[in-house]
């Protein structure tokens, strides 16, 4: 009986820690956008131009690429790997990923078509805090690109959980069906957005599938 009480207390402490970590993480800056339409878990949003730091990892699975790319971008924003050093850059959310064709890597400011062949690669983007511009950001290592994404209209679907590949496929299908039902025209391939730190429990996590749509 005593052991059960200790186990229950331990579970409670872990849960409290997870909630505290979640609350602290949710205080970070997110990109501002204008909601054009809301329909349950679906939204149509207008985003302004965003300054991002991005890195591309060729040939691996999304999970493998995600781990490696996150470490590289984190080393940049925390000042661990910069040609000239400098202060830390505040972490923002979400972390964004999409599949790109390596042959199209130079088109950094335009939508890049997703390719599923052997030449594909995964790109991860950290959105920079709004106080920075391309001119004021610290210099990045040669494998990290600083660029400005143009203003876009995005269709989005939000869901909780760990955001594994089966969930992403399922939610992309649902989003494409919603886009078609709304009479919208896709203007890019799919992107994924992940908002939470690893310690956040699955039910509290926020994930999104995003697809740019044409503006009439």
């Amino acid at each position: 009986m005593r052991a059960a009480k200790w186990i229950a207390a331990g579970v409670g402490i872990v849960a409290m820690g997870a909630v505290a970590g979640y609350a602290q993480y949710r205080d970070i800056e997110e990109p501002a956008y204008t909601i054009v339409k809301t329909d349950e878990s679906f939204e149509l949003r207008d985003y302004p131009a965003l300054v991002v730091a991005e890195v591309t990892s060729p040939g691996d699975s999304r999970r493998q690429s995600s781990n490696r790319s996150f470490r590289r971008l984190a080393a940049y924003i925390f000042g661990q790997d910069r040609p000239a050093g400098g202060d830390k850059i505040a972490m923002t959310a979400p972390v964004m990923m999409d599949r790109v064709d390596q042959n199209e890597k130079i088109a950094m400011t335009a939508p890049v078509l997703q390719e599923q062949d052997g030449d594909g690669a995964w790109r991860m983007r950290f959105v920079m805090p709004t106080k920075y511009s391309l001119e004021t950001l610290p210099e990045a290592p040669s494998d990290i690109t600083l660029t400005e994404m143009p203003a876009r209209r995005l269709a989005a679907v939000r869901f909780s959980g760990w955001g594994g590949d089966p969930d992403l496929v399922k939610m992309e299908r649902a989003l494409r069906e919603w886009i078609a039902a709304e009479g919208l025209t896709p203007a890019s391939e799919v992107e994924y957005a992940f908002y939470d730190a690893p310690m956040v429990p699955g039910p509290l996590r926020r994930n999104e599938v995003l697809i740019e749509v044409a503006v009439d």
Side-chain angles (χ1 to χ4, degrees), residues 21 33 40-41 53 57 74 92 158 164 170 173 180 188 204 206 209:
Y33 55 80
E40 297 182 348
S41 297
S57 298
T92 66
R158 177 175 176 171
K170 176 182 176 181
R173 184 181 303 114
S188 75
L204 296 179
R206 175 184 175 187
V209 175

Side-chain angles (χ1 to χ4, degrees), residues 9 16 20 32 43 48 52 57 63 86 104-105 115 132 134 142 145 148 159 162 170 210 213:
M16 289 174 62
E43 282 188 344
V52 299
S57 298
R63 184 174 297 276
E104 299 292 337
K105 255 183 82 175
E115 297 289 340
Y132 290 103
L134 288 178
S142 60
T145 300
E148 183 175 85
F159 61 102
W162 292 101
K170 176 182 176 181
L210 309 165
V213 296

Side-chain angles (χ1 to χ4, degrees), residues 32-205:
Y33 55 80
T34 300
I35 298 177
V36 178
K37 182 173 184 178
T38 299
D39 181 7
E40 297 182 348
S41 297
F42 301 95
E43 282 188 344
L44 192 61
R45 307 169 179 168
D46 283 342
Y47 280 83
L50 300 174
V51 176
V52 299
E54 62 183 39
V55 64
T56 301
S57 298
D60 294 322
S61 69
R62 182 183 63 84
R63 184 174 297 276
Q64 291 172 327
S65 175
S66 176
N67 293 335
R68 181 166 57 250
S69 297
F70 190 94
R71 289 194 298 268
R72 287 300 298 131
L73 290 171
Y76 166 68
I77 68 168
F78 295 138
Q80 299 166 349
D81 185 9
R82 292 189 198 144
D87 296 333
K88 292 182 180 180
I89 299 170
M91 186 68 185
T92 66
V95 173
M96 304 181 73
M97 291 195 74
D98 64 347
R99 184 92 175 182
V100 299
D101 182 345
Q102 292 185 87
N103 296 326
E104 299 292 337
K105 255 183 82 175
I106 57 172
M108 291 298 183
T109 60
V112 181
L113 293 178
Q114 178 177 346
E115 297 289 340
Q116 300 294 341
D117 59 22
D119 293 330
W122 286 100
R123 173 174 53 192
M124 177 176 284
R125 289 168 167 152
F126 282 10
V127 179
M128 296 293 96
T130 53
K131 71 176 185 178
Y132 290 103
S133 66
L134 288 178
E135 292 71 30
T136 59
L137 276 170
E139 182 183 358
S142 60
D143 62 332
I144 294 176
T145 300
L146 304 178
T147 188
E148 183 175 85
M149 300 174 63
R152 302 186 294 168
R153 176 166 290 182
L154 296 178
V157 59
R158 177 175 176 171
F159 61 102
S160 61
W162 292 101
D165 289 340
D167 290 332
L168 296 176
V169 170
K170 176 182 176 181
M171 300 312 294
E172 178 186 349
R173 184 181 303 114
L175 181 60
R176 291 189 181 279
E177 290 175 354
W178 185 79
I179 289 172
E182 292 295 316
L184 302 170
T185 303
S188 75
E189 288 299 322
V190 67
E191 301 174 41
Y192 308 123
F194 306 100
Y195 284 79
D196 300 294
M199 79 285 291
V200 177
L204 296 179
R205 301 184 73 83

